[in-house]
Amino acid sequence: MATRARRSSVSLRLEAAFAASVISLVAMGPQGASAQAVNYVNDRPVTIIDSVGQPSLQSIVDAEFGAGWGLTASDQSVRGVFKTSTASGTGFETIIGQYGGAAASSYKFGIWFGSDASNLLHRDLFLGAAPVGYSLPIKITQGQLKIFPEDMADCGVIIQCGNLNNVAVDPKQFGFYFENGGVRRYTADSLNPASESSVLSFAKPGTSDWVLAYEDGLPTDGKDFNDYVISVASVAAVPEPAEWLMLSSGVALLAGLSRRRRSQGAQSA
């Protein structure tokens, strides 16, 4: 009887330790324990203030997704980090709106990789001369980002060409950024000064299509988020709610198992 009680006690301690580790994983998220970790989740919604004489963000997203997909005022995704949704890792970025005035000639759009906010890997995709309607295919696989220019004459003018080979390139974790005057604004608010909301993201229901809308913050217009608008195909948000639900369910299962073992141990004693 004493041997059984000792084994039960050891088993309970192991279960408790495992449950604690799972709870810790849920709390920290995929980044792991790091003071510099990127926060995947943004605080949404934020208020959009349309500028007079310019297309509203709602009309821009409606033109891309189709009327009835949702409302830009309320259907803003809280996700700021993405992953590829195709086995090949191929995606497409297309400029669908650019109403930043003269400042738009200096805008850039790019992709970042990494889990340490102080040591991210950046790569420009669109440069300042990229026109509305321009589309760029890319492919992200482990350790490599491939760029597929439609015309090599566009390289260095409209797009940044050349493949990126780096261990930090990860198809399961990346984000996007907009740049104006050398200042980057990220899809993850935690990377922005004062964690401000400079990029809004919208998902087309039932698809892997997204729209990213940038606000340059210039006093010449309001918070219209139409200064540079990009559609992104073949990506999914990270983490997906189902992944967290599975982890949470595992914690609940372990907790229930531990309670049952403790009850059985007390009855045996």
Side-chain angles (χ1 to χ4, degrees), residues 22-183:
V22 176
I23 292 171
S24 177
L25 178 61
V26 173
M28 292 185 299
Q31 295 293 336
S34 172
Q36 300 293 326
V38 177
N39 185 354
Y40 284 50
V41 182
N42 299 322
D43 186 13
R44 296 290 186 271
V46 300
T47 301
I48 301 171
I49 304 175
D50 294 330
S51 293
V52 177
Q54 295 183 3
S56 68
L57 181 58
Q58 182 70 53
S59 67
I60 296 172
V61 182
D62 283 351
E64 181 67 18
F65 286 168
W69 71 272
L71 299 174
T72 54
S74 56
D75 294 313
Q76 303 167 15
S77 174
V78 299
R79 305 301 179 185
V81 180
F82 302 88
K83 64 181 180 181
T84 59
S85 63
T86 62
S88 66
T90 302
F92 298 87
E93 283 68 42
T94 306
I95 302 173
I96 61 173
Q98 193 178 84
Y99 301 95
S105 62
S106 67
Y107 291 163
K108 294 180 181 180
F109 173 77
I111 189 170
W112 57 267
F113 300 92
S115 58
D116 184 349
S118 64
N119 189 32
L120 299 176
L121 175 65
H122 299 84
R123 177 58 184 267
D124 293 341
L125 297 176
F126 291 127
L127 304 178
V132 173
Y134 194 93
S135 183
L136 177 65
I138 67 172
K139 182 175 182 178
I140 307 171
T141 54
Q142 195 64 48
Q144 186 178 64
L145 167 67
K146 286 187 175 182
I147 308 295
F148 300 94
E150 295 181 357
D151 188 338
M152 293 303 294
D154 296 339
C155 296
V157 180
I158 292 178
I159 57 174
Q160 185 69 43
C161 294
N163 298 333
L164 174 62
N165 298 294
N166 192 291
V167 294
V169 177
D170 186 351
K172 299 184 295 298
Q173 180 179 308
F174 55 86
F176 298 97
Y177 64 87
F178 294 81
E179 182 177 327
N180 178 24
V183 179

Side-chain angles (χ1 to χ4, degrees), residues 99-101 103-104 107 180 185 196 198 214-228:
Y99 301 95
Y107 291 163
N180 178 24
R185 292 293 186 269
E196 64 182 353
S198 298
Y214 165 66
E215 169 54 47
D216 61 15
L218 297 178
T220 52
D221 60 7
K223 289 284 187 179
D224 47 24
F225 287 91
N226 70 354
D227 298 318
Y228 203 170

Side-chain angles (χ1 to χ4, degrees), residues 229-255:
V229 188
I230 304 285
S231 72
V232 180
S234 303
V235 298
V238 175
E240 292 186 277
E243 296 172 351
W244 294 114
L245 180 60
M246 288 174 63
L247 283 172
S248 300
S249 299
V251 171
L253 179 61
L254 284 170

